[in-house]
C-alpha cells in the first residue's frame, strides 16, 4: 500500500497527473513471463484447500491461469464487468492521498515490474505478481470489492484526522495478511500470504503465530512486521462482517480513543482477545537466538 515516506513529491517524468503510467506489456521479456508462470504454478500447487473460496473464484473469473503476465487493459475489462474496479500501473510507491483516491474510485494501483528469477521467495517492494496475483482476484468478489472501496474513502478521512498509522494497520492485517473462517476452517485471503509460498504454509499450519479474531480497535493498535512472517494473524468470520464493520463504524471516535494508547507488540495476546491459536512464537524466538 502507500507509504508514509515518499522519495518523490510529484509524478515522475512520463507519469500522468494521477501518477498512472502505461503498463508497457509489450516490453516484458520471455523470461519475465516465465517468472510469472513459475510463481503462478508454485502457488497453485499450494492454494487449493488453503485459500479462500472467493480468491479461487476470482482467479477463474479473471482467467489468471492464462500463461504470462496479464495485460492490465484486458484484465481490467473482465474485472470492471464484475465489480467496477480497474487495475492501473504506477511507478512504485505513490503518495497516500493518491493511493486512497484511486482506491475510493475503484482503481487498484499496481507495480508493472516483475522480480528477477533469483528473487522468487522475497522482494521488499511489491511487484506485478504480488499486486495482481495477490490482490486482484479478491476484487472480483463484490463484498470484498466494496470493502476496499470503503477503505479508500476511509483513508482520505484518516489523512484529515492524522490517523493514517492506525488505519494502515487495518489494511496490513486484512488486505495483506488476513485470514477468514470458511466452513469451520481457516483460509487465507491476504495478498501477502497468497502470493508467498512459505507464508501460505506458515500462516495456517505453523504452531508459532497467534491467530486472533479481528477486533477493530485492537488491530489498529497493533504493530506489524514488514520483513518476515507475521507473529499474529487476525481472523474475520466473513467478508460480509468485515464490510459491515467498516461501513457502520464511525472511525473518528475509535481514532480518538486509541490515539494516545501504547502500540500492541506484534506477538502479544491480550486478556480480551478471542484467541483461536496461542502461538509458541518459536519461529521468531529462533531468529533472535
Amino acid at each position: 500500500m502507500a507509504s508514509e515516506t515518499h522519495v518523490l513529491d510529484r509524478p515522475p517524468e512520463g507519469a500522468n497527473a494521477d501518477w498512472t503510467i502505461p503498463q508497457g506489456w509489450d516490453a516484458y521479456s520471455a523470461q519475465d513471463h516465465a517468472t510469472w508462470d513459475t510463481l503462478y504454478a508454485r502457488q497453485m500447487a499450494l492454494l487449493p484447500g488453503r485459500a479462500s473460496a472467493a480468491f479461487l473464484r476470482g482467479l477463474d473469473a479473471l482467467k489468471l491461469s492464462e500463461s504470462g503476465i496479464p495485460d492490465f487493459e484486458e484484465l481490467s475489462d473482465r474485472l470492471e464487468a464484475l465489480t467496477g474496479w480497474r487495475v492501473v500501473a504506477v511507478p512504485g510507491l505513490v503518495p497516500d492521498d493518491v493511493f486512497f483516491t484511486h482506491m475510493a474510485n475503484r482503481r487498484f494501483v499496481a507495480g508493472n515490474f516483475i522480480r528477477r528469477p533469483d528473487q522468487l521467495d522475497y522482494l521488499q517492494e511489491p511487484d506485478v505478481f504480488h499486486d495482481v496475483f495477490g490482490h486482484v482476484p479478491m476484487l472480483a468478489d463484490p463484498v470484498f470489492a466494496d470493502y476496499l472501496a470503503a477503505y479508500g474513502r476511509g483513508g482520505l478521512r484518516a489523512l484529515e484526522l492524522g490517523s493514517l498509522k492506525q488505519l494502515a494497520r487495518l489494511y496490513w492485517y486484512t488486505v495483506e495478511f488476513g485470514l477468514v473462517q470458511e466452513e469451520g476452517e481457516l483460509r487465507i485471503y491476504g495478498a501477502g500470504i497468497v502470493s508467498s509460498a512459505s507464508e501460505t504454509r506458515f500462516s495456517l499450519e505453523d504452531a508459532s503465530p497467534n491467530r486472533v479474531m479481528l477486533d477493530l480497535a485492537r488491530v489498529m493498535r497493533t504493530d506489524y512486521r514488514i520483513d518476515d512472517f507475521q507473529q499474529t494473524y487476525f481472523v474475520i468470520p466473513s467478508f460480509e462482517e468485515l464490510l459491515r464493520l467498516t461501513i457502520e463504524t464511525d472511525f473518528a471516535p475509535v481514532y480518538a480513543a486509541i490515539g494516545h494508547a501504547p502500540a500492541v507488540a506484534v506477538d502479544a495476546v491480550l486478556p480480551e482477545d478471542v484467541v483461536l491459536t496461542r502461538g509458541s512464537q518459536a519461529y521468531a524466538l529462533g531468529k533472535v537466538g
Side-chain angles (χ1 to χ4, degrees):
M1 66 171 291
S3 169
E4 293 181 43
T5 302
H6 306 286
V7 175
L8 301 175
D9 59 3
R10 61 179 58 87
E13 184 177 354
N16 298 313
D18 64 358
W19 291 71
T20 59
I21 59 173
Q23 181 190 6
W25 190 88
D26 290 339
Y28 291 125
S29 67
Q31 183 167 322
D32 291 335
H33 289 298
T35 297
W36 171 282
D37 290 346
T38 296
L39 290 165
Y40 183 93
R42 185 169 72 168
Q43 287 309 105
M44 291 312 298
L46 295 172
L47 291 179
R50 293 183 172 99
S52 163
F55 180 86
L56 296 174
R57 286 195 302 269
L59 286 177
D60 289 340
L62 297 174
K63 301 182 180 180
L64 287 178
S65 61
E66 294 180 356
S67 181
I69 300 169
D71 182 303
F72 286 6
E73 286 299 314
E74 294 178 3
L75 176 63
S76 291
D77 288 345
R78 296 181 190 127
L79 182 61
E80 188 171 27
L82 295 169
T83 61
W85 278 80
R86 294 191 69 84
V87 181
V88 294
V90 293
L93 296 176
V94 300
D96 297 309
D97 61 331
V98 174
F99 178 80
F100 292 127
T101 297
H102 280 300
M103 188 177 293
N105 289 281
R106 295 184 180 248
R107 295 186 297 268
F108 187 78
V109 298
N112 63 348
F113 78 98
I114 192 161
R115 68 195 73 181
R116 301 191 311 266
D118 62 346
Q119 297 174 311
L120 293 185
D121 292 317
Y122 178 74
L123 193 68
Q124 185 171 2
E125 185 176 354
D127 71 342
V128 68
F129 186 78
H130 171 272
D131 283 343
V132 173
F133 179 89
H135 283 285
V136 175
M138 288 302 305
L139 292 176
D141 179 79
V143 177
F144 195 82
D146 286 350
Y147 167 67
L148 208 58
Y151 184 93
R153 297 190 297 271
L156 293 171
R157 189 178 185 212
L159 285 174
E160 296 174 356
L161 297 173
S163 300
L164 181 60
K165 179 184 290 186
Q166 287 75 27
L167 190 66
R169 291 165 173 162
L170 178 62
Y171 187 97
W172 187 264
Y173 282 117
T174 58
V175 179
E176 290 289 355
F177 290 95
L179 303 181
V180 61
Q181 291 178 322
E182 287 184 354
E183 299 181 355
E185 302 286 343
L186 294 186
R187 296 288 184 262
I188 59 179
Y189 71 91
I193 309 177
V194 297
S195 61
S196 166
S198 53
E199 195 143 7
T200 290
R201 297 187 185 93
F202 180 86
S203 63
L204 292 178
E205 297 155 19
D206 202 285
S208 184
N210 304 315
R211 300 174 183 90
V212 178
M213 294 303 295
L214 183 142
D215 174 83
L216 194 62
R218 157 60 153 120
V219 165
M220 292 197 297
R221 288 180 54 205
T222 305
D223 283 335
Y224 56 81
R225 302 199 60 166
I226 64 172
D227 60 345
D228 211 334
F229 296 147
Q230 302 307 299
Q231 291 173 250
T232 298
Y233 295 93
F234 289 94
V235 181
I236 58 172
S238 67
F239 298 118
E240 289 79 7
E241 177 62 17
L242 179 62
L243 176 61
R244 184 199 65 77
L245 184 68
T246 305
I247 291 176
E248 295 183 5
T249 299
D250 182 352
F251 278 59
V254 181
Y255 294 146
I258 68 176
H260 298 291
V264 177
V266 293
D267 61 345
V269 174
L270 305 184
E272 61 269 28
D273 284 341
V274 178
V275 180
L276 303 181
T277 304
R278 186 173 189 128
S280 67
Q281 301 300 325
Y283 174 82
L285 290 171
K287 296 275 285 191
V288 172

